[in-house]
Amino acid sequence: MSKKNNKLYKGTLQNIVLQLLAKEVKMYGYQMTQRAKELTKGELEMTEGALYPILHQLEDEGIIESEIQTVNGRDRKYYLLTDKGKRQQVKKAAEMQTFIGNLSTIFNI
Amino acid sequence: MTESEYITQYLSTKNLPLDLLVEVQDHMVEQVAEIISRDKISFENAFDQVKNLWAKDLKVQFHWMCGITPITSFENEIIKKNRKHNLCVTFLIQSVLWGITVVLILKQPSFAKYFMLSVYWLTMAVSTLLIIRYWKLVKTGYGLGSRKISVYQLDMPGLLIGVMYLVWFNLSIFDQLFGQMKIGVINLFVKNSFDANSFISMVGAYFIVWTTLIGILSLWHCKKSVNQLKLRVDLKI
């Protein structure tokens, strides 16, 4: 993440990953960083050092799972939500909406 | 040397375990390809840019909770998150077992000893079977193998150490351990008096079970990671 936005996005990266996987179904690590950057027009640049620990943590907790696919002769590790992950994503998305709503209220005083 | 092999050679200097090395290599290959395509520059220049992007995360240094071998910040972060998860899950399990033992000591003292003995024996039996079944994998956690295979192997030594202590406890000092725990429970919950030695004995009775459970969980994570690695790399494990 660029330094200016680092602290603002830090606590929400896990929810961002869940949201991306909910929409795209299956993604590999580099694809996630690029998609987040594309959607936010370059504002959110996830560092690999931030992303992969989160992916490992989510996999340990059974929220996502990984599978290897061969693409153009190369193996690639894709991540996707488990059933538990899909339920978690819905819950976290609702929490984020509430959070964003509250922030909007405060910053529109 | 192909570009992919060039990247692998660079990453091999970072002391990464194999499962992380493969993951980082995948990511770097995609990054380099994108930069080459976007900026129309050579592989070397693109790879230099990628190395700069990863510089902070791949800096090799000593992390005091991860042993005496320096590792990257990247690996350290993953170990920290995995360890936190394992500690929480195993602490919950051992707390339930400990709680049941405490309640039995207070309500059904005759069953309490057999319950605790059953837990010790069951943990020892399961751990021993796992060690025998997955010995080739377990020994990588002790540096007895020649390769660092998985980021999850760091906490596997708890399994073998736990089993050795459980064998010793079960065969030699179980009665003494249970007696100390019983005294601690009665002092605290019945007599409402706090004695440091009794309290430590009470709390510590399941400590070695907890350590062994951490080793079991680490082995499980390591096995999963190695199974995935075997799809991509010729591993003789």
Side-chain angles (χ1 to χ4, degrees):
Chain A
M1 288 174 285
S2 59
K3 274 192 178 167
K4 61 179 179 182
N5 294 326
N6 191 21
K7 288 178 184 172
L8 289 174
Y9 286 106
K10 204 171 179 180
T12 60
L13 269 188
Q14 190 167 314
N15 293 340
I16 290 171
V17 167
L18 293 179
Q19 184 68 11
L20 287 173
L21 287 174
K23 294 301 171 198
E24 305 284 340
V25 181
K26 199 191 292 190
M27 299 178 88
Y28 54 97
Y30 184 67
Q31 188 184 17
M32 284 186 220
T33 62
Q34 294 307 103
R35 187 73 179 122
K37 188 177 170 184
E38 179 195 347
L39 286 170
T40 59
K41 295 181 175 45
E43 279 294 309
L44 173 56
E45 291 194 43
M46 267 195 272
T47 62
E48 295 73 16
L51 172 66
Y52 283 100
I54 286 173
L55 290 176
H56 277 260
Q57 182 187 348
L58 290 173
E59 200 169 2
D60 288 345
E61 292 171 2
I63 291 171
I64 64 175
E65 57 190 358
S66 58
E67 60 182 43
I68 308 292
Q69 277 189 7
T70 307
V71 176
N72 297 330
R74 284 204 68 248
D75 288 329
R76 210 181 248 164
K77 191 175 186 181
Y78 282 85
Y79 294 92
L80 53 160
L81 292 173
T82 59
D83 289 338
K84 180 182 173 185
K86 286 171 188 166
R87 292 192 297 272
Q88 182 84 342
Q89 184 274 324
V90 168
K91 183 182 156 198
K92 290 296 177 185
E95 285 176 11
M96 284 303 297
Q97 293 292 355
T98 307
F99 173 66
I100 292 163
N102 291 338
L103 279 185
S104 181
T105 306
I106 291 168
F107 285 94
N108 284 326
I109 294 172
Chain B
M1 199 187 289
T2 64
E3 290 172 0
S4 184
E5 286 168 350
Y6 199 77
I7 294 170
T8 307
Q9 189 183 55
Y10 167 73
L11 288 174
S12 66
T13 65
K14 300 295 176 182
N15 198 28
L16 288 167
L18 198 52
D19 54 358
L20 287 193
L21 186 147
V22 167
E23 204 158 22
V24 174
Q25 185 212 30
D26 283 349
H27 196 107
M28 280 191 169
V29 164
E30 301 280 349
Q31 271 181 308
V32 166
E34 202 225 344
I35 291 171
I36 290 173
S37 170
R38 185 189 69 207
D39 299 344
K40 307 285 187 269
I41 54 177
S42 67
F43 166 77
E44 287 77 18
N45 289 335
F47 188 38
D48 281 343
Q49 285 189 34
V50 167
K51 279 194 271 189
N52 282 335
L53 286 171
W54 279 87
K56 189 178 161 209
D57 295 313
L58 291 182
K59 186 179 172 188
V60 178
Q61 57 193 19
F62 175 69
H63 295 275
W64 70 280
M65 286 291 283
C66 297
I68 58 172
T69 308
I71 59 173
T72 60
S73 309
F74 179 71
E75 186 183 348
N76 182 51
E77 276 307 305
I78 294 174
I79 288 171
K80 271 173 29 182
K81 287 197 185 311
N82 175 253
R83 191 170 268 169
K84 185 179 162 190
H85 172 255
N86 285 355
L87 282 172
C88 289
V89 168
T90 53
F91 183 73
L92 186 64
I93 294 171
Q94 77 96 26
S95 296
V96 167
L97 296 171
W98 179 86
I100 292 172
T101 310
V102 167
V103 168
L104 284 173
I105 287 172
L106 295 171
K107 304 289 182 192
Q108 295 277 353
S110 54
F111 287 130
K113 186 174 178 179
Y114 294 112
F115 176 79
M116 189 164 152
L117 191 61
S118 303
V119 170
Y120 271 39
W121 274 96
L122 187 64
T123 309
M124 186 184 76
V126 167
S127 305
T128 306
L129 284 171
L130 287 173
I131 288 168
I132 293 168
R133 173 71 179 83
Y134 298 111
W135 171 243
K136 280 187 182 174
L137 190 55
V138 169
K139 72 177 185 178
T140 65
Y142 297 85
L144 299 177
S146 60
R147 286 176 293 184
K148 202 168 148 186
I149 308 290
S150 170
V151 67
Y152 299 110
Q153 70 190 57
L154 187 69
D155 288 336
M156 277 199 308
L159 185 59
L160 197 53
I161 293 168
V163 164
M164 289 194 300
Y165 270 103
L166 282 169
V167 169
W168 177 49
F169 287 176
N170 284 340
L171 296 178
S172 315
I173 63 169
F174 180 81
D175 286 340
Q176 182 188 338
L177 268 177
F178 179 75
Q180 284 171 345
M181 183 174 176
K182 193 174 168 186
I183 291 168
V185 169
I186 291 170
N187 277 350
L188 192 63
F189 293 104
V190 177
K191 295 181 182 174
N192 293 319
S193 80
F194 177 81
D195 170 67
N197 280 338
S198 303
F199 183 76
I200 290 168
S201 300
M202 181 185 74
V203 168
Y206 275 92
F207 179 76
I208 204 64
V209 170
W210 184 25
T211 312
T212 313
L213 289 174
I214 292 171
I216 291 173
L217 202 51
S218 297
L219 175 62
W220 183 66
H221 284 303
C222 192
K223 183 85 181 75
K224 265 179 33 175
S225 186
V226 165
N227 282 345
Q228 281 209 337
L229 256 183
K230 280 181 177 175
L231 296 173
R232 311 179 61 174
V233 177
D234 183 23
L235 270 185
K236 303 248 184 317
I237 284 185

